[in-house]
Amino acid sequence: MWKFLREYIKTPDTIGAVAPSSRHLAAAMTAWIDFDKAKCIVEYGAGTGIFTREVCAKKRPGTVYIVIEQNDRFYSMLQKQFHGVPGVVLIHGDAGTVCGFLREQGFRHADYIISGLPFTSLPQQVSHRILLQTQKAIGMEGVFFTFQY
């Protein structure tokens, strides 16, 4: 909790809350994912890994789960928790280049993208770029879920 708050104070324009999301929110956000059919799931802004743990617990062994986190401290925390977990691809990078990350993993589209990014706090051009990439990344059949505080 304190690490999260410290990161929010350091960079409030890139972190959407003063505390990590709850397990209940993670369960609600992932309830809509058809884990039996999902081949590729993407998460933007994984933070401390609340959603990541939920998806890892539910995904099939063959599903690729691309987790994108830009914050250095959060990425380091995610590495400690999820390094070596089968099917989990941790990326220290920008969600605005998601299509490139998908291609690197052999996918044209993601089945699901979940996000906790603070779109209303980000500069408008950054939000716009990420949302345009997201539209391309889900194609005609994928689904994008997001929440805002």
Side-chain angles (χ1 to χ4, degrees), residues 42-45 68-70 93-99 101 115 117 119 129-131 133-134 137:
V42 176
E43 179 180 358
Y44 297 162
I68 304 169
E69 177 56 57
Q70 191 169 33
D94 178 2
T97 57
V98 64
C99 291
F101 299 140
S115 171
L117 293 180
F119 288 106
R129 180 174 48 86
I130 293 170
L131 291 171
Q133 277 284 297
T134 300

Side-chain angles (χ1 to χ4, degrees), residues 28-139:
M29 286 285 290
T30 59
W32 301 99
I33 296 175
D34 185 345
F35 287 98
D36 290 331
K37 294 182 181 176
K39 293 180 178 79
C40 179
I41 302 169
V42 176
E43 179 180 358
Y44 297 162
T48 59
I50 299 292
F51 284 34
T52 314
R53 281 190 288 283
E54 188 77 17
V55 173
C56 284
K58 294 179 178 179
K59 77 175 195 65
R60 292 179 316 139
T63 301
V64 173
Y65 182 30
I66 300 171
V67 180
I68 304 169
E69 177 56 57
Q70 191 169 33
N71 179 279
D72 297 337
R73 185 176 300 267
F74 290 157
Y75 179 75
S76 178
M77 291 171 66
L78 293 167
Q79 280 187 307
K80 289 175 185 166
Q81 293 178 71
F82 302 103
H83 177 76
V85 174
V88 175
V89 179
L90 296 173
I91 296 176
H92 188 211
D94 178 2
T97 57
V98 64
C99 291
F101 299 140
L102 285 167
R103 281 192 301 274
E104 287 172 7
Q105 298 305 313
F107 292 96
R108 290 182 61 211
H109 301 290
D111 297 305
Y112 297 93
I113 297 177
I114 57 176
S115 171
L117 293 180
F119 288 106
T120 56
S121 300
L122 295 172
Q124 185 176 7
Q125 68 273 16
V126 173
S127 291
H128 186 70
R129 180 174 48 86
I130 293 170
L131 291 171
L132 282 176
Q133 277 284 297
T134 300
Q135 186 177 25
K136 291 177 186 175
I138 60 172

Side-chain angles (χ1 to χ4, degrees), residues 3-18 47 69-74 116-118 121-123:
K3 289 179 184 178
F4 198 98
L5 181 59
R6 181 175 43 225
E7 291 304 305
Y8 176 80
I9 291 168
K10 281 176 33 183
T11 56
D13 57 333
T14 62
I15 297 177
V18 296
E69 177 56 57
Q70 191 169 33
N71 179 279
D72 297 337
R73 185 176 300 267
F74 290 157
L117 293 180
S121 300
L122 295 172

